[in-house]
Short mmCIF file of all heavy atoms in Angstrom, two decimals:
data_model
loop_
_atom_site.label_atom_id
_atom_site.label_comp_id
_atom_site.label_asym_id
_atom_site.label_seq_id
_atom_site.Cartn_x
_atom_site.Cartn_y
_atom_site.Cartn_z
N GLN Z 61 -4.23 25.04 -33.87
CA GLN Z 61 -4.21 25.84 -35.10
C GLN Z 61 -2.83 25.80 -35.75
O GLN Z 61 -2.69 25.71 -36.96
CB GLN Z 61 -4.58 27.31 -34.78
CG GLN Z 61 -6.04 27.53 -34.45
CD GLN Z 61 -6.88 27.75 -35.69
OE1 GLN Z 61 -6.38 27.70 -36.81
NE2 GLN Z 61 -8.16 27.97 -35.51
N LEU Z 64 -2.04 22.57 -37.78
CA LEU Z 64 -2.89 22.25 -38.92
C LEU Z 64 -2.19 22.60 -40.23
O LEU Z 64 -1.34 23.48 -40.28
CB LEU Z 64 -4.21 23.01 -38.83
CG LEU Z 64 -5.15 22.62 -37.69
CD1 LEU Z 64 -6.35 23.56 -37.66
CD2 LEU Z 64 -5.62 21.18 -37.82
N TYR Z 66 -2.73 24.14 -43.93
CA TYR Z 66 -3.67 25.04 -44.59
C TYR Z 66 -3.40 25.10 -46.09
O TYR Z 66 -2.26 25.03 -46.54
CB TYR Z 66 -3.58 26.44 -44.00
CG TYR Z 66 -4.17 26.55 -42.62
CD1 TYR Z 66 -3.40 26.32 -41.49
CD2 TYR Z 66 -5.51 26.90 -42.44
CE1 TYR Z 66 -3.95 26.41 -40.22
CE2 TYR Z 66 -6.06 26.99 -41.18
CZ TYR Z 66 -5.27 26.75 -40.08
OH TYR Z 66 -5.81 26.84 -38.82
N ILE Z 69 -5.36 30.54 -50.05
CA ILE Z 69 -6.37 31.14 -50.93
C ILE Z 69 -5.66 32.13 -51.85
O ILE Z 69 -5.14 33.15 -51.40
CB ILE Z 69 -7.46 31.86 -50.11
CG1 ILE Z 69 -8.20 30.85 -49.23
CG2 ILE Z 69 -8.44 32.57 -51.04
CD1 ILE Z 69 -9.22 31.49 -48.30
N LEU Z 87 -16.33 32.35 -51.01
CA LEU Z 87 -16.43 31.04 -50.37
C LEU Z 87 -17.91 30.69 -50.23
O LEU Z 87 -18.59 31.17 -49.33
CB LEU Z 87 -15.75 31.07 -48.99
CG LEU Z 87 -14.25 31.43 -49.00
CD1 LEU Z 87 -13.81 31.83 -47.62
CD2 LEU Z 87 -13.44 30.25 -49.50
N GLU Z 88 -18.38 29.86 -51.12
CA GLU Z 88 -19.81 29.55 -51.17
C GLU Z 88 -20.32 28.96 -49.85
O GLU Z 88 -19.73 28.03 -49.29
CB GLU Z 88 -20.08 28.56 -52.31
CG GLU Z 88 -21.55 28.26 -52.53
CD GLU Z 88 -21.78 27.29 -53.68
OE1 GLU Z 88 -20.79 26.93 -54.34
OE2 GLU Z 88 -22.94 26.91 -53.91
N GLY Z 89 -21.39 29.54 -49.33
CA GLY Z 89 -22.03 29.04 -48.12
C GLY Z 89 -21.28 29.32 -46.83
O GLY Z 89 -21.64 28.78 -45.78
N ILE Z 90 -20.27 30.18 -46.88
CA ILE Z 90 -19.46 30.44 -45.68
C ILE Z 90 -20.29 31.09 -44.57
O ILE Z 90 -19.95 30.99 -43.39
CB ILE Z 90 -18.24 31.32 -46.03
CG1 ILE Z 90 -17.21 31.33 -44.89
CG2 ILE Z 90 -18.67 32.73 -46.38
CD1 ILE Z 90 -16.55 30.02 -44.65
N GLY Z 91 -21.39 31.74 -44.95
CA GLY Z 91 -22.24 32.38 -43.95
C GLY Z 91 -22.88 31.40 -42.98
O GLY Z 91 -23.25 31.76 -41.87
N GLN Z 92 -23.00 30.12 -43.41
CA GLN Z 92 -23.57 29.08 -42.55
C GLN Z 92 -22.50 28.33 -41.77
O GLN Z 92 -22.81 27.42 -41.01
CB GLN Z 92 -24.36 28.08 -43.42
CG GLN Z 92 -25.41 28.71 -44.31
CD GLN Z 92 -26.45 29.48 -43.53
OE1 GLN Z 92 -26.90 29.02 -42.47
NE2 GLN Z 92 -26.84 30.65 -44.01
N PHE Z 93 -21.26 28.73 -41.98
CA PHE Z 93 -20.13 28.03 -41.36
C PHE Z 93 -19.95 28.52 -39.92
O PHE Z 93 -20.20 29.69 -39.62
CB PHE Z 93 -18.86 28.31 -42.17
CG PHE Z 93 -17.73 27.36 -41.93
CD1 PHE Z 93 -17.84 26.03 -42.30
CD2 PHE Z 93 -16.56 27.80 -41.34
CE1 PHE Z 93 -16.79 25.15 -42.08
CE2 PHE Z 93 -15.52 26.93 -41.11
CZ PHE Z 93 -15.63 25.60 -41.49
N PRO Z 94 -19.53 27.64 -38.98
CA PRO Z 94 -19.33 28.07 -37.58
C PRO Z 94 -18.34 29.23 -37.47
O PRO Z 94 -17.22 29.15 -37.97
CB PRO Z 94 -18.77 26.80 -36.92
CG PRO Z 94 -19.25 25.67 -37.75
CD PRO Z 94 -19.28 26.20 -39.16
N LYS Z 95 -18.78 30.30 -36.84
CA LYS Z 95 -17.94 31.50 -36.73
C LYS Z 95 -16.66 31.25 -35.97
O LYS Z 95 -15.63 31.87 -36.23
CB LYS Z 95 -18.74 32.63 -36.04
CG LYS Z 95 -19.98 33.06 -36.79
CD LYS Z 95 -19.63 33.66 -38.14
CE LYS Z 95 -20.86 34.24 -38.85
NZ LYS Z 95 -21.80 33.20 -39.28
N GLU Z 96 -16.69 30.31 -35.00
CA GLU Z 96 -15.49 30.04 -34.21
C GLU Z 96 -14.39 29.38 -35.03
O GLU Z 96 -13.23 29.32 -34.60
CB GLU Z 96 -15.82 29.17 -33.00
CG GLU Z 96 -16.39 27.80 -33.32
CD GLU Z 96 -17.91 27.79 -33.41
OE1 GLU Z 96 -18.51 28.88 -33.59
OE2 GLU Z 96 -18.49 26.70 -33.28
N ASN Z 97 -14.73 28.89 -36.23
CA ASN Z 97 -13.73 28.26 -37.10
C ASN Z 97 -13.07 29.27 -38.05
O ASN Z 97 -12.25 28.88 -38.88
CB ASN Z 97 -14.36 27.14 -37.92
CG ASN Z 97 -14.62 25.89 -37.09
OD1 ASN Z 97 -14.62 25.94 -35.87
ND2 ASN Z 97 -14.87 24.78 -37.75
N ILE Z 98 -13.46 30.53 -37.91
CA ILE Z 98 -12.88 31.58 -38.76
C ILE Z 98 -12.13 32.55 -37.85
O ILE Z 98 -12.71 33.16 -36.96
CB ILE Z 98 -13.97 32.33 -39.54
CG1 ILE Z 98 -14.80 31.35 -40.37
CG2 ILE Z 98 -13.34 33.40 -40.44
CD1 ILE Z 98 -16.02 31.99 -41.03
N THR Z 99 -10.83 32.67 -38.05
CA THR Z 99 -10.02 33.56 -37.21
C THR Z 99 -9.24 34.54 -38.09
O THR Z 99 -8.96 34.26 -39.26
CB THR Z 99 -9.03 32.76 -36.35
OG1 THR Z 99 -8.15 32.01 -37.20
CG2 THR Z 99 -9.77 31.80 -35.43
N VAL Z 109 -5.78 35.34 -42.28
CA VAL Z 109 -7.15 34.89 -42.06
C VAL Z 109 -7.18 33.38 -42.26
O VAL Z 109 -6.75 32.87 -43.29
CB VAL Z 109 -8.13 35.56 -43.05
CG1 VAL Z 109 -9.55 35.05 -42.83
CG2 VAL Z 109 -8.08 37.08 -42.89
N LYS Z 110 -7.69 32.65 -41.25
CA LYS Z 110 -7.72 31.19 -41.30
C LYS Z 110 -9.16 30.69 -41.22
O LYS Z 110 -9.95 31.20 -40.43
CB LYS Z 110 -6.91 30.59 -40.15
CG LYS Z 110 -5.42 30.91 -40.22
CD LYS Z 110 -4.69 30.32 -39.02
CE LYS Z 110 -3.21 30.61 -39.05
NZ LYS Z 110 -2.51 30.07 -37.86
N ILE Z 111 -9.46 29.68 -42.04
CA ILE Z 111 -10.78 29.04 -42.02
C ILE Z 111 -10.55 27.55 -41.80
O ILE Z 111 -9.98 26.87 -42.66
CB ILE Z 111 -11.55 29.28 -43.32
CG1 ILE Z 111 -11.63 30.79 -43.61
CG2 ILE Z 111 -12.94 28.70 -43.25
CD1 ILE Z 111 -11.25 31.17 -44.99
N LYS Z 112 -10.99 27.04 -40.68
CA LYS Z 112 -10.72 25.66 -40.29
C LYS Z 112 -11.89 24.74 -40.67
O LYS Z 112 -13.01 24.96 -40.25
CB LYS Z 112 -10.46 25.59 -38.78
CG LYS Z 112 -10.18 24.21 -38.25
CD LYS Z 112 -9.97 24.26 -36.75
CE LYS Z 112 -9.82 22.88 -36.14
NZ LYS Z 112 -9.69 22.93 -34.67
N GLY Z 113 -11.60 23.74 -41.51
CA GLY Z 113 -12.58 22.70 -41.82
C GLY Z 113 -13.65 23.08 -42.83
O GLY Z 113 -14.69 22.43 -42.89
N TYR Z 114 -13.40 24.09 -43.68
CA TYR Z 114 -14.38 24.48 -44.70
C TYR Z 114 -14.33 23.49 -45.85
O TYR Z 114 -13.30 23.33 -46.50
CB TYR Z 114 -14.08 25.90 -45.18
CG TYR Z 114 -14.92 26.36 -46.36
CD1 TYR Z 114 -16.27 26.65 -46.21
CD2 TYR Z 114 -14.34 26.51 -47.62
CE1 TYR Z 114 -17.03 27.06 -47.29
CE2 TYR Z 114 -15.09 26.93 -48.69
CZ TYR Z 114 -16.43 27.20 -48.53
OH TYR Z 114 -17.17 27.62 -49.61
N LYS Z 115 -15.44 22.78 -46.07
CA LYS Z 115 -15.55 21.77 -47.12
C LYS Z 115 -14.44 20.72 -47.00
O LYS Z 115 -13.84 20.29 -47.99
CB LYS Z 115 -15.53 22.42 -48.50
CG LYS Z 115 -16.77 23.26 -48.78
CD LYS Z 115 -16.86 23.71 -50.21
CE LYS Z 115 -18.17 24.46 -50.45
NZ LYS Z 115 -18.32 24.92 -51.85
N GLY Z 116 -14.14 20.35 -45.75
CA GLY Z 116 -13.17 19.29 -45.50
C GLY Z 116 -11.72 19.70 -45.54
O GLY Z 116 -10.83 18.86 -45.36
N LEU Z 117 -11.45 20.99 -45.76
CA LEU Z 117 -10.07 21.47 -45.81
C LEU Z 117 -9.90 22.71 -44.94
O LEU Z 117 -10.87 23.38 -44.59
CB LEU Z 117 -9.67 21.81 -47.26
CG LEU Z 117 -9.60 20.64 -48.26
CD1 LEU Z 117 -9.39 21.19 -49.66
CD2 LEU Z 117 -8.49 19.67 -47.89
N ASN Z 118 -8.66 23.01 -44.60
CA ASN Z 118 -8.34 24.24 -43.88
C ASN Z 118 -7.79 25.24 -44.88
O ASN Z 118 -6.85 24.93 -45.62
CB ASN Z 118 -7.31 23.95 -42.78
CG ASN Z 118 -7.79 22.89 -41.81
OD1 ASN Z 118 -8.92 22.95 -41.33
ND2 ASN Z 118 -6.96 21.91 -41.54
N HIS Z 119 -8.36 26.43 -44.89
CA HIS Z 119 -7.97 27.45 -45.87
C HIS Z 119 -7.35 28.65 -45.17
O HIS Z 119 -7.67 28.96 -44.01
CB HIS Z 119 -9.19 27.90 -46.68
CG HIS Z 119 -9.84 26.78 -47.44
ND1 HIS Z 119 -9.58 26.54 -48.77
CD2 HIS Z 119 -10.73 25.84 -47.05
CE1 HIS Z 119 -10.29 25.49 -49.18
NE2 HIS Z 119 -10.99 25.06 -48.14
N ARG Z 120 -6.49 29.34 -45.90
CA ARG Z 120 -5.77 30.48 -45.30
C ARG Z 120 -5.49 31.56 -46.34
O ARG Z 120 -4.99 31.28 -47.43
CB ARG Z 120 -4.46 29.98 -44.71
CG ARG Z 120 -3.65 31.03 -43.96
CD ARG Z 120 -2.41 30.36 -43.38
NE ARG Z 120 -1.76 31.17 -42.36
CZ ARG Z 120 -0.73 30.78 -41.64
NH1 ARG Z 120 -0.23 29.56 -41.84
NH2 ARG Z 120 -0.19 31.56 -40.73
N ILE Z 137 -12.71 41.59 -40.33
CA ILE Z 137 -13.30 40.78 -41.39
C ILE Z 137 -14.81 40.80 -41.22
O ILE Z 137 -15.33 41.01 -40.12
CB ILE Z 137 -12.80 39.32 -41.37
CG1 ILE Z 137 -13.19 38.62 -40.06
CG2 ILE Z 137 -11.31 39.25 -41.62
CD1 ILE Z 137 -12.90 37.14 -40.06
N LYS Z 138 -15.51 40.60 -42.34
CA LYS Z 138 -16.96 40.52 -42.31
C LYS Z 138 -17.37 39.27 -43.09
O LYS Z 138 -16.96 39.09 -44.24
CB LYS Z 138 -17.59 41.76 -42.94
CG LYS Z 138 -19.12 41.73 -42.96
CD LYS Z 138 -19.68 42.99 -43.61
CE LYS Z 138 -21.21 42.95 -43.65
NZ LYS Z 138 -21.77 44.16 -44.31
N VAL Z 139 -18.17 38.42 -42.47
CA VAL Z 139 -18.62 37.18 -43.12
C VAL Z 139 -20.03 37.40 -43.68
O VAL Z 139 -20.95 37.77 -42.95
CB VAL Z 139 -18.62 36.01 -42.11
CG1 VAL Z 139 -19.08 34.73 -42.81
CG2 VAL Z 139 -17.24 35.81 -41.51
N THR Z 140 -20.19 37.19 -44.98
CA THR Z 140 -21.50 37.28 -45.62
C THR Z 140 -21.94 35.86 -46.02
O THR Z 140 -21.27 34.88 -45.70
CB THR Z 140 -21.45 38.18 -46.85
OG1 THR Z 140 -20.61 37.59 -47.85
CG2 THR Z 140 -20.87 39.56 -46.50
N ASN Z 141 -23.03 35.75 -46.74
CA ASN Z 141 -23.55 34.44 -47.12
C ASN Z 141 -22.54 33.60 -47.90
O ASN Z 141 -22.38 32.40 -47.65
CB ASN Z 141 -24.83 34.59 -47.94
CG ASN Z 141 -26.00 35.06 -47.09
OD1 ASN Z 141 -26.01 34.88 -45.88
ND2 ASN Z 141 -26.98 35.68 -47.74
N ASN Z 142 -21.84 34.24 -48.85
CA ASN Z 142 -20.95 33.49 -49.73
C ASN Z 142 -19.55 34.10 -49.85
O ASN Z 142 -18.84 33.83 -50.82
CB ASN Z 142 -21.57 33.39 -51.14
CG ASN Z 142 -22.86 32.60 -51.15
OD1 ASN Z 142 -22.90 31.43 -50.79
ND2 ASN Z 142 -23.95 33.27 -51.52
N SER Z 143 -19.16 34.88 -48.88
CA SER Z 143 -17.82 35.47 -48.96
C SER Z 143 -17.34 35.97 -47.60
O SER Z 143 -18.13 36.13 -46.67
CB SER Z 143 -17.81 36.64 -49.96
OG SER Z 143 -18.59 37.71 -49.45
N ILE Z 144 -16.05 36.18 -47.53
CA ILE Z 144 -15.44 36.86 -46.39
C ILE Z 144 -14.81 38.14 -46.94
O ILE Z 144 -14.04 38.10 -47.90
CB ILE Z 144 -14.36 36.00 -45.70
CG1 ILE Z 144 -15.00 34.78 -45.05
CG2 ILE Z 144 -13.60 36.81 -44.65
CD1 ILE Z 144 -13.99 33.84 -44.39
#
Side-chain angles (χ1 to χ4, degrees):
Q61 287 274 2
L64 293 174
Y66 287 89
I69 297 175
L87 301 163
E88 185 179 357
I90 194 66
Q92 307 300 319
F93 198 66
K95 298 296 186 291
E96 61 270 19
N97 285 16
I98 304 172
T99 60
V109 178
K110 295 178 180 178
I111 306 131
K112 180 181 174 183
Y114 172 72
K115 292 189 176 181
L117 294 172
N118 303 313
H119 300 263
R120 184 177 195 175
I137 62 171
K138 179 181 180 181
V139 181
T140 65
N141 289 336
N142 296 299
S143 68
I144 294 178

